[in-house]
Amino acid sequence: MSTQNASEHFMEVNGVKLRYFSWGSESNPKMICLHGHTGQAHIWDEFAEEMSERYHVLAFDQRGHGASSYAEDGYDRDKFVNDLDAIIETLNIDRVTLVGLSMGGWHSILYTSEFHPEKVEKMVIVDIGPESSEEFKKSFTEDGVRVEPKIKFSSFEEAFNESRSNNPWVSDEGLTRDLTNRLNQNTDGTYQWKADPNLIIPPLKDGTDENLIRRYWEGLAKIDCPILEVQGMESTLLDSELKDKMLSTAKNLSWVDVPNAGHVVTVDQPQLFINATREFLS
């Protein structure tokens, strides 16, 4: 699947130039899709194509990601949420369905609970919660010391092999397509992530910042619209304890587990993700 039926656009909000893809008739109900940390809009290609029969789907490269510009004013969580607010205002959207993977889910929760709950009709959050499991936090450390993420690769094959070692579930075709969309080739033949290095090197503070964790939990509790959580069954980001707490905290939360999928469910199992969300979004 590709973006052959989508149109590419750019808009400037809050001093950053954002790329986005549009599927479906502009007269359809609006859906905005937000990728995760260091990701890009193409993770929604198959899903957006399917949803375009009944939605006008907009998938964004968020600030500092993909083909959007780097942000001189930084990447605090509220910067992203302010961008989402500006997107919705700029496009004059009155009602929207938000679909957010990982940090895109955080942005959806904060926008809906702190900005315009009346504008959000439904929400899908993918493999994310107000906080992460202890097992997930340990996956980024060795002997208690944080492992620095790799930014540059000597070849596409090196990037592929390293990504494959962490993800046995995605197909070769799906992984190749995802990496092609996430990597740039430098003049010396090496490859590096398209995302701003200032996003990649510093560890995300969401998992340790008590204020952000509080806001995510309080936001989840305040939201009235229906929410669907889609979790990759191979992901360790959310454990059973967090699942139970989220289900008891939220007013209207449903949960679907997708087999043979890690964190980026839409890349690992695109058709199963479509199947998991179809009834909720119909």
Side-chain angles (χ1 to χ4, degrees):
M1 186 67 65
S2 69
T3 49
Q4 60 181 351
N5 293 322
S7 54
E8 184 182 39
H9 307 268
F10 290 86
M11 71 162 61
E12 184 166 330
V13 299
N14 299 325
V16 291
K17 187 177 182 180
L18 302 179
R19 180 181 70 165
Y20 67 100
F21 295 100
S22 169
W23 290 259
S25 171
E26 293 187 8
S27 64
N28 286 346
K30 306 301 183 193
M31 173 185 286
I32 291 178
C33 298
L34 302 171
H35 60 75
H37 182 66
T38 73
Q40 43 75 44
H42 284 291
I43 68 163
W44 304 107
D45 284 355
E46 291 94 338
F47 173 73
E49 186 74 27
E50 182 77 18
M51 292 298 115
S52 66
E53 293 182 6
R54 64 177 85 103
Y55 286 97
H56 179 209
V57 185
L58 307 168
F60 282 81
D61 285 340
Q62 299 182 79
R63 61 168 52 210
H65 293 80
S68 292
S69 63
Y70 293 179
E72 293 183 2
D73 60 344
Y75 300 101
D76 287 345
R77 190 60 55 220
D78 287 311
K79 301 288 187 183
F80 289 98
V81 184
N82 287 333
D83 289 348
L84 176 57
D85 181 47
I87 287 166
I88 291 173
E89 290 298 316
T90 300
L91 296 175
N92 296 314
I93 296 174
D94 293 323
R95 294 284 283 170
V96 66
T97 292
L98 296 178
V99 184
L101 185 145
S102 195
M103 76 166 190
W106 287 331
H107 303 160
S108 299
I109 289 171
L110 292 181
Y111 172 82
T112 305
S113 62
E114 298 182 1
F115 282 75
H116 291 289
E118 77 284 356
K119 290 191 174 187
V120 182
E121 185 172 7
K122 290 183 179 181
M123 185 189 308
V124 178
I125 53 178
V126 187
D127 207 61
I128 198 65
E131 56 187 301
S132 305
S133 71
E134 292 302 316
E135 181 179 358
F136 181 79
K137 294 174 186 176
K138 291 176 183 176
S139 66
F140 291 95
T141 64
E142 289 182 2
D143 298 325
V145 178
R146 181 175 181 267
V147 177
E148 291 289 338
K150 194 166 187 177
I151 292 180
K152 187 178 290 187
F153 304 89
S154 61
S155 65
F156 188 89
E157 289 71 25
E158 182 190 6
F160 182 95
N161 291 334
E162 182 156 325
S163 297
R164 170 60 78 201
S165 68
N166 296 316
N167 185 348
W169 310 290
V170 64
S171 68
D172 285 348
E173 178 186 2
L175 181 56
T176 299
R177 186 169 64 245
D178 184 52
L179 291 174
T180 299
N181 290 319
R182 291 179 64 200
L183 291 166
N184 275 327
Q185 186 173 22
N186 300 314
T187 55
D188 62 0
T190 60
Y191 288 78
Q192 70 181 57
W193 302 118
K194 289 181 179 178
D196 187 342
N198 289 320
L199 277 163
I200 300 172
I201 295 299
L204 286 176
K205 62 181 182 180
D206 301 79
T208 55
D209 187 314
E210 293 299 326
N211 181 56
L212 280 173
I213 292 172
R214 175 189 57 78
R215 287 173 65 192
Y216 295 144
W217 279 116
E218 290 180 353
L220 188 64
K222 287 165 61 176
I223 294 170
D224 291 318
C225 75
I227 305 172
L228 176 67
E229 170 81 43
V230 182
Q231 182 181 15
M233 291 182 70
E234 304 297 336
S235 171
T236 62
L237 195 145
L238 300 172
D239 56 20
S240 59
E241 182 178 349
L242 285 171
K243 176 180 179 179
D244 291 343
K245 185 176 179 181
M246 288 175 66
L247 286 168
S248 63
T249 298
K251 297 175 183 178
N252 195 0
L253 175 64
S254 305
W255 199 288
V256 176
D257 294 314
V258 174
N260 299 313
H263 183 52
V264 188
V265 184
T266 60
V267 172
D268 293 353
Q269 297 294 342
Q271 189 57 53
L272 292 183
F273 179 76
I274 291 168
N275 296 344
T277 57
R278 184 181 282 116
E279 181 179 354
F280 177 78
L281 293 169
S282 64

